[in-house]
Amino acid sequence: MDTILVTGGNGFIGSTFIEMVFETKKAKNVINIDKLTYCANKKANKQFKNYKLIKEDINNVFDALKGKERSIDYIFHFAAESHVDNSISGPEPFVHSNVNGTFKMVEFAKSFDIPIVVVSTDEVYGSLSYEDPSSVETDILKPSSVYSSTKASADLIALSYYHTFRTNVKVTRCCNNYGFNQFDEKLLPKILTNLKQGKKIPVYGDGKNVREWIDARDHSEAIWMVAEKGQPGEIYNIGTSDERSNIELVRGILELWGAGEDTIKFVEDRKGHDIRYSLNCNKITHELGWIPKHGNVMDYLEEAISQIKTP
C-alpha cells in the first residue's frame, strides 16, 4: 500500500501498529489522526520520515482530511476510549468517541470508497463462566460495561455499512494487550509502577477474574493480515489462549520481582466486573493462517522486570 490512515495512532496499540507498518515496509506513508488525550504517547512515531500526525477528534474527520481523501488506500480505526473504570465514572466520552466517532469513520470510508478495519474487543461478548466455551464470532453480544456497550455499538454500526452500502468493512476483536510503553492506567504497567515505587498492588475483589493476553505486536500483525486476506463484512477474533486469573498474574509478577504476597491489597470489586473473557480464534488461524509469534505474558513480564532492575 502507498498511504494508510490510522486513527488513535498515539495510543499504545495504534503506535505499535504504526511501528510494525514502517519496520516491515507494509506501507510507504502513514497519516495518523489522534486528538492526543491524557493517555496518548505524544512522542510516538516521530522517528519515521513518512509519518504525518493530524491532531484532531475523529468526529471531525471530513474536515481534518479534506483534500487528502483520494490518497488513502486503507483505514485502520483504533481510536477509542478504552479504560473501563473511566466509563463507569464518566460514560459520555465513550459514546462520543466509540459510537459517534466510529460512525464518522465508516461514513468517511463509504464516501470515498476506502476499505476499513475497525478494531474492537473481546469484551463485547460479555462475561463467560469458568466452564463456558470460548467466544466465537457468531455469538450474541452481551456487553456489560459502558465501554464494552459502546464498542459493541460501534461494531454493529460498522458492519451495517457493509450489509447496507457494501462498504469494505472488517471487524477484529482482540483480548488484553501487553507490551512496552503501555499507559500506566492499565493493569500490567500499573503493577510494575507500584512495585518500583514500593506501593501495594491493588487487586479487585478476589482476583479470580480471568483474562486472555496477547503481545501488541502479534495483534498488529493479525490486523494487517485481516486487511490483506480477510473478507469484507466479516469479524475475526484475535487471541492466544493464554488465559490467567488476575491473582495468578499478580503472584507471578511478585515472584519475578522477589516480593511477598503482603504486597497485595485486595480492594472493592469493580462494578459489573466480568468473570472471564476467552476467544476462539479458529477462524483467523484456519482461514487466514495467522498465529502469534511473540511468546506469552509471563515472558514479557520477565523481560520487563529485568530491564527495570538492570542498572
Side-chain angles (χ1 to χ4, degrees):
M1 298 181 196
D2 187 64
T3 300
I4 63 170
L5 171 65
V6 175
T7 73
N10 285 80
F12 167 56
I13 303 172
S15 60
T16 302
F17 178 80
I18 290 174
E19 185 174 324
M20 181 273 298
V21 166
F22 278 121
E23 288 183 350
T24 57
K25 300 181 180 179
K26 294 185 181 299
K28 294 179 183 177
N29 306 289
V30 175
I31 300 171
N32 170 28
I33 180 169
D34 193 308
K35 65 179 180 180
L36 300 182
T37 61
Y38 74 98
C39 59
N41 179 357
K42 296 176 177 61
K43 297 179 181 179
N45 314 312
K46 290 184 176 181
Q47 69 271 36
F48 301 116
K49 180 180 178 182
N50 295 328
Y51 165 78
K52 179 176 178 59
L53 169 65
I54 298 174
K55 184 183 176 182
E56 186 57 85
D57 188 323
I58 56 172
N59 282 280
N60 302 324
V61 63
F62 281 89
D63 290 335
L65 291 170
K66 194 169 185 178
K68 300 180 178 68
E69 306 94 341
R70 302 296 178 187
S71 68
I72 298 168
D73 297 312
Y74 222 112
I75 300 169
F76 296 88
H77 176 42
F78 293 87
E81 295 285 347
S82 66
H83 192 45
V84 176
D85 288 347
N86 290 347
S87 80
I88 295 169
S89 60
E92 188 171 355
F94 288 75
V95 176
H96 176 77
S97 292
N98 301 356
V99 181
N100 298 340
T102 298
F103 161 69
K104 287 290 188 180
M105 291 310 307
V106 293
E107 181 67 14
F108 181 83
K110 175 180 77 75
S111 299
F112 300 102
D113 194 25
I114 308 169
I116 180 171
V117 173
V118 175
V119 179
S120 190
T121 171
D122 57 0
E123 297 192 34
V124 300
Y125 294 116
S127 186
L128 300 174
S129 73
Y130 299 119
E131 296 79 24
D132 282 335
S134 300
S135 300
V136 297
E137 290 85 351
T138 53
D139 281 351
I140 294 172
L141 304 186
K142 297 180 180 179
S144 304
S145 67
V146 173
Y147 162 63
S148 57
S149 296
T150 59
K151 292 298 287 184
S153 301
D155 290 3
L156 296 174
I157 290 168
L159 292 167
S160 76
Y161 268 65
Y162 169 73
H163 294 292
T164 305
F165 306 112
R166 285 298 182 258
T167 305
N168 187 342
V169 174
K170 302 163 189 176
V171 171
T172 62
R173 293 175 179 156
C174 193
C175 58
N176 282 25
N177 281 235
Y178 60 82
F180 295 97
N181 300 316
Q182 191 172 21
F183 190 65
D184 281 354
E185 72 184 1
K186 298 298 185 179
L187 178 62
L188 300 187
K190 178 183 282 188
I191 292 171
L192 296 178
T193 297
N194 280 18
L195 285 171
K196 283 190 291 184
Q197 296 174 353
K199 296 179 180 178
K200 297 279 189 179
I201 307 303
V203 175
Y204 279 128
D206 60 11
K208 293 180 180 178
N209 307 75
V210 174
R211 298 296 181 261
E212 184 177 356
W213 294 91
I214 188 171
D215 190 302
R217 295 170 295 178
D218 282 322
H219 185 192
S220 298
E221 290 161 4
I223 291 167
W224 190 270
M225 187 172 286
V226 168
E228 284 194 320
K229 298 182 179 181
Q231 294 300 309
E234 291 294 322
I235 302 161
Y236 296 90
N237 287 345
I238 302 171
T240 61
S241 300
D242 183 15
E243 294 186 37
R244 301 169 192 267
S245 70
N246 290 343
I247 191 64
E248 175 191 356
L249 197 61
V250 169
R251 284 173 175 152
I253 294 170
L254 293 179
E255 183 177 349
L256 289 170
W257 190 272
E261 290 206 12
D262 57 346
T263 310
I264 298 171
K265 179 183 180 182
F266 291 98
V267 298
E268 182 181 354
D269 206 358
R270 171 190 281 165
K271 294 178 181 178
H273 201 179
D274 290 340
I275 295 170
R276 173 174 167 253
Y277 307 130
S278 175
L279 292 174
N280 180 315
C281 299
N282 288 341
K283 183 175 180 178
I284 192 171
T285 300
H286 295 155
E287 294 185 11
L288 307 189
W290 175 82
I291 55 171
K293 301 174 183 175
H294 291 98
N296 62 45
V297 66
M298 294 310 299
D299 294 333
Y300 156 71
L301 286 164
E302 186 172 4
E303 181 182 355
I305 289 170
S306 175
Q307 288 189 18
I308 292 169
K309 292 198 162 191
T310 300

